[in-house]
Structure formats: structure tokens, C-alpha cells
Amino acid sequence: MTTYIFIGLSLVLSLIFMPIIIKFCKKFNLYDYQSARKIHSGNIPRLGGIGIVFAFFISTVVYLITTKEVNITNYIPILLAGLIIFVFAIVDDLLNLPALVKLIVQLIAVSIVTFNGYRFTQIGFWHLPTIVSFVFSFGWILGVINAYNLIDGLDGLCGSLSITTIITMGILYTLAGNKEGVICFILAAAILGFLVYNWPPAKIFMGDNGSQFLGFMIATIPLYTSDEVLEYNKFMIMLILTAFPVFDTIAAIWRRLRDKKPIMSPDRSHLHHKLLNLNYTKKNALYLIAFLQVLLCASVVISYFLGKAKGFAILLESMAFMIMFFSIIHYTNRKVLMIQNAKTPEEAAKIKILDDPVTEENSEKEEIKD
């Protein structure tokens, strides 16, 4: 019962902090500016991540100090590294740091975690050699930090993906008997308080300080050792839970390399942009992604109950579904853009016929009727 007190404390603190941060940002003109990957309009305060992190850290520290069931030293490396990511991301939000500086800070934070033993140690039946474990975990954490930073371009999106992932990890850890489940639920409560103000139309954005911190926590929380079933499928589980930001980031990197643009350059070709091109409203795009994310989370929990092999099979099916979903959205969006960019109505009609055999067949039937 006492754990619910700390979860509730995190939620209440987050709800209290958000209006204060909104007023602070308005007073000092700390707004989120338009960019190539942002689709909002107007002046929106952009330091909501501060409320999330403060609520989480206060509640977590109180929990760790007052409970005798956990070893506080086990949590210091991840909390310290997360704090480093958060502090420098705030500086970045305010001063727009060079990409190299941000990378160096991230490398320092990741080193603190991995060199203290928090790494992936196996993928399925393959137990990773130590050097492979280091390199693999290093790349994983760096990638997820930046993936959640890049996906934060639509009201409620990063928060929704983060809270569902963290709640799912909390459920898995609780089922496995890990005390880290409580930490997950405390963080989820802090995000919920933010989402109250970030749900469209958003009154506040989390900023890079929030998205990078959440990406870091989502990448590192699974690195605590757990039971045999969870360890066996842990990487696949996390790949499914982070599929939306990770797949979107992979697509973005490929797109920029193909177009010979800097990898970190912003654009309007992320998943949510594509859904908007397909005539989804901002809310409907958010609801679709959130609904599919909940399905993925459900499949992950089910996979745990099925054990190693059967659970792995469920996870592979979920992965195949996500690949298919991204492919369908990509090619449908490309067709729409080609039609929109057509110089003449005849050229647009030709594109429709070439890309849609059913349309061509129906067109031929109409000609026969005439």
C-alpha cells in the first residue's frame, strides 16, 4: 500500500509543477519555436520536462530513503546519468548547444551506466560476450535517447509512447518480482501529470530536456537483472515497446543519408507527418499511434506469460506487424505526395492508375459500360 503513496505523490507533484512552469515560461518568453519537424502554431511553453523530472526525482528519492526493501546504491548510476542528460538538455533548450556537445554529454551518461554493469547480457539463447554487450548496450541507449527526442513532434505523442512503455515495464518487473517496477510506476505517474497539460491542444511541451530524459530512462530501466523469462526476451520486448520511435528514427536516418543531408537535420517526413499527409487530423494521428502502442504493450505482457519460445514467437509477430504498418504508411504517403506534386491533372490520374490496379480495372469497366 505504501508504494501507492509514492506513485500518488509523483502524480500530484507533476500536476502542481506544470502550471508553475507554464507561467514561468510565459514570463521569460521560453517558447517552443517553429521548425521543419514541428507542426504546432502559436507560442507554447517548452520546459514541461522539468516538471516530469522534478516530480519523479523527489518521489523516487523519498521512496528509496524510506523503504528498506531496496539497495539505494543500485539506483545511483542510472539516476545520476539521467540527471546529467536532463541538466544539459535544459541548457540545450535554452542555448541550443552544438550537436557535438550533446553527443559528448550523452556518451558520458551512457558510460556511467554501462561501466557500472547495466547492460544487455543476452538476446534469446545467445549470451553476449562482454565486449559485444558493452558495444550493443552503448548503441542501444544512445539510439533510444535520440529516437524519443525525434518523435516528439505532435501533441501528446512522446508522452503517450513513454507512459505506455514504462507502465508495461513496471508490470513485467512486478510480475518478475523486481522492485524496479515501483520506479517505473512513479515515473509513469509523473508523465501522466504532464499529459494532462500536453494533451491536444497542448498547453506545454516537454522540450528536449523531457524527451531525452525519458528516452534515457526507457533505454536503461530494462537493464536491471530480472527473471529467466524476461532476460531471455528482454531485448525483443524493448524493441517492440520502442518500435514507433526507433523505426521512425531508422527511417529518418536512411532518408537523410539517401538525400545526402546531415543526419540530425530536421524534416517533415516523420510518421506523424505522413499520417497528416494522409488526411488524419492531429488528434486522430495521435489516437491511432497510441492505440497501436497499447496493442504492442498487450502483446508484450502476453508474451511473458507464454514463456521463452512461445513468447519470442509472439514478439516476432508483433515486429512483423510494425514493419508492415510502417511500409504501408510509407508507400501510401509516397503515392499521395506524387499525386500532389503532379504538374497536371492528367499526370496525377496516370499515377493513380499505375499505382492502383483495381482503379485501372474499374476504369476499364466504366469505359465498357459507356
Side-chain angles (χ1 to χ4, degrees), residues 25-37:
C25 290
K26 289 181 177 179
K27 182 177 180 179
F28 294 98
N29 294 318
L30 300 175
Y31 296 116
D32 193 64
Y33 297 105
Q34 290 286 116
S35 73
R37 70 181 179 92

Side-chain angles (χ1 to χ4, degrees), residues 17-314:
F17 288 146
M18 294 306 161
I20 297 173
I21 295 170
I22 290 172
K23 291 182 180 179
F24 177 84
C25 290
K26 289 181 177 179
K27 182 177 180 179
F28 294 98
N29 294 318
L30 300 175
Y31 296 116
D32 193 64
Y33 297 105
Q34 290 286 116
S35 73
R37 70 181 179 92
K38 301 288 180 65
I39 56 177
H40 69 274
S41 58
N43 296 326
I44 309 294
R46 58 188 173 94
L47 297 178
I50 294 176
I52 296 174
V53 176
F54 278 21
F56 168 70
F57 264 90
I58 292 171
S59 303
T60 299
V61 169
V62 174
Y63 166 69
L64 293 176
I65 291 175
T66 57
T67 184
K68 299 179 180 180
E69 299 177 353
V70 297
N71 184 354
I72 297 179
T73 57
N74 291 339
Y75 297 87
I76 291 176
I78 288 180
L79 293 178
L80 174 61
L83 188 61
I84 291 172
I85 291 286
F86 168 66
V87 170
F88 277 89
I90 290 179
V91 176
D92 182 39
D93 277 324
L94 298 176
L95 302 178
N96 195 19
L97 295 175
L100 180 60
V101 173
K102 291 187 282 187
L103 178 61
I104 292 173
V105 171
Q106 291 176 2
L107 289 173
I108 292 171
V110 176
S111 298
I112 291 173
V113 172
T114 54
F115 285 101
N116 275 280
Y118 297 93
R119 307 187 303 273
F120 284 111
T121 57
Q122 70 180 95
I123 301 176
F125 60 82
W126 183 34
H127 290 267
L128 303 177
T130 302
I131 185 64
V132 175
S133 175
F134 269 106
V135 174
F136 185 77
S137 301
F138 222 90
W140 160 259
I141 299 172
L142 279 177
V144 173
I145 290 172
N146 290 289
Y148 277 83
N149 188 30
L150 288 174
I151 202 71
D152 186 26
L154 185 68
D155 294 358
L157 181 56
C158 187
S160 297
L161 294 175
S162 299
I163 194 172
T164 48
T165 295
I166 291 167
I167 287 175
T168 304
M169 279 306 304
I171 292 172
L172 293 177
Y173 270 147
T174 301
L175 292 171
N178 279 49
K179 296 302 179 183
E180 285 77 26
V182 178
I183 303 297
C184 293
F185 294 131
I186 290 174
L187 179 54
I191 299 170
L192 180 59
F194 164 75
L195 279 174
V196 171
Y197 292 89
N198 182 244
W199 205 253
K203 298 180 181 66
I204 189 171
F205 295 151
M206 66 173 64
D208 285 357
N209 66 91
S211 59
Q212 288 192 37
F213 175 79
L214 291 179
F216 174 82
M217 294 302 294
I218 288 168
T220 54
I221 283 176
L223 302 181
Y224 286 102
T225 303
S226 188
D227 68 8
E228 188 177 351
V229 175
L230 190 52
E231 286 297 319
Y232 187 88
N233 285 328
K234 185 179 286 184
F235 176 69
M236 277 297 294
I237 284 172
M238 292 312 302
L239 197 56
I240 297 300
L241 292 179
T242 62
F244 277 107
V246 168
F247 281 23
D248 192 57
T249 299
I250 292 172
I253 292 173
W254 165 250
R255 187 168 58 245
R256 291 160 191 174
L257 289 175
R258 179 197 64 198
D259 298 338
K260 298 181 180 179
K261 294 181 179 180
I263 290 179
M264 298 305 294
S265 62
D267 60 30
R268 295 180 67 91
S269 296
H270 291 280
L271 176 63
H272 48 279
H273 294 126
K274 293 176 180 177
L275 290 174
L276 295 179
N277 289 340
L278 300 179
N279 291 325
Y280 280 80
T281 64
K282 294 178 183 180
K283 278 190 176 182
N284 287 342
L286 171 63
Y287 293 158
L288 174 62
I289 296 173
F291 172 71
L292 294 178
Q293 173 73 5
V294 170
L295 292 183
L296 293 177
C297 292
S299 73
V300 163
V301 175
I302 292 171
S303 75
Y304 178 82
F305 287 104
L306 293 177
K308 294 180 180 178
K310 291 182 179 179
F312 190 79
I314 290 291

Side-chain angles (χ1 to χ4, degrees), residues 318-337:
S318 299
M319 179 67 65
F321 169 79
M322 286 303 295
I323 292 173
M324 182 176 66
F325 172 77
F326 267 82
S327 299
I328 290 172
I329 297 299
H330 169 74
Y331 286 108
T332 306
N333 176 69
R334 188 171 72 170
K335 176 182 174 181
V336 169
L337 291 179

Side-chain angles (χ1 to χ4, degrees), residues 331 334-335 338-339 350-358:
Y331 286 108
R334 188 171 72 170
K335 176 182 174 181
M338 288 174 66
I339 294 172
K350 185 177 181 180
I351 293 171
K352 289 182 180 180
I353 292 173
L354 290 174
D355 286 353
D356 190 352
V358 176

